[in-house]
Amino acid sequence: QVQLVESGGGYVQTGGSLRLSCAASGRFFSSYAVAWFRQAPGKEREFVAGVNWNRRRTDYADSVKERFTISRDNGKNTVDLQMNSLKPEDTAVYYCAKSSGHELGAEYDSWGQGTQVTVSS
């Protein structure tokens, strides 16, 4: 069983930046795709960004393209989300999730506890 712990959330003004990190424990984490999701108050959880197992493929929600960058370090079992040019609509709890497959698109079977990101206008 893989356990995921997010960190790096906080409070930032519009236009600012934050870097979220997800640390994974457990074997074979590097063999699976990983993604970031977010959930704002009163809204459904949505996909933000994902990276496949060997870092050759990434995917982003249209709302964060050109602003967010996902990266992973399989040696350290970490996945980061660099968020630039933040907007108030980026305010949400951000979750790290591990896929059940090597590539993006498979079901996610492990989730972190989430980290709060608040962007003030």
Side-chain angles (χ1 to χ4, degrees):
Q1 181 79 16
V2 172
Q3 293 187 331
L4 306 173
V5 178
E6 303 96 335
S7 62
Y11 182 93
V12 65
Q13 294 185 335
T14 296
S17 298
L18 283 174
R19 188 176 184 90
L20 305 183
S21 185
C22 174
S25 61
R27 300 177 64 186
F28 308 119
F29 175 74
S30 60
S31 298
Y32 299 97
V34 185
W36 286 93
F37 288 77
R38 68 187 181 186
Q39 186 167 22
K43 295 187 177 181
E44 293 187 354
R45 185 168 57 193
E46 64 175 354
F47 173 85
V48 176
V51 57
N52 77 332
W53 71 284
N54 62 5
R55 300 175 296 179
R56 291 183 180 177
R57 182 188 168 196
T58 57
D59 194 18
Y60 296 90
D62 287 343
S63 59
V64 306
K65 283 180 179 177
E66 308 299 330
R67 299 189 298 123
F68 290 12
T69 303
I70 189 170
S71 60
R72 69 185 298 169
D73 185 331
N74 286 340
K76 295 181 178 179
N77 274 6
T78 58
V79 179
D80 291 350
L81 184 68
Q82 178 65 42
M83 306 186 295
N84 298 328
S85 302
L86 283 162
K87 305 174 181 180
E89 50 265 43
D90 295 317
T91 295
V93 177
Y94 284 71
Y95 299 91
C96 177
K98 170 195 155 294
S99 174
S100 56
H102 298 307
E103 301 296 334
L104 296 168
E107 182 178 344
Y108 293 90
D109 57 9
S110 296
W111 295 81
Q113 83 289 347
T115 185
Q116 176 70 48
V117 171
T118 302
V119 185
S120 66
S121 58

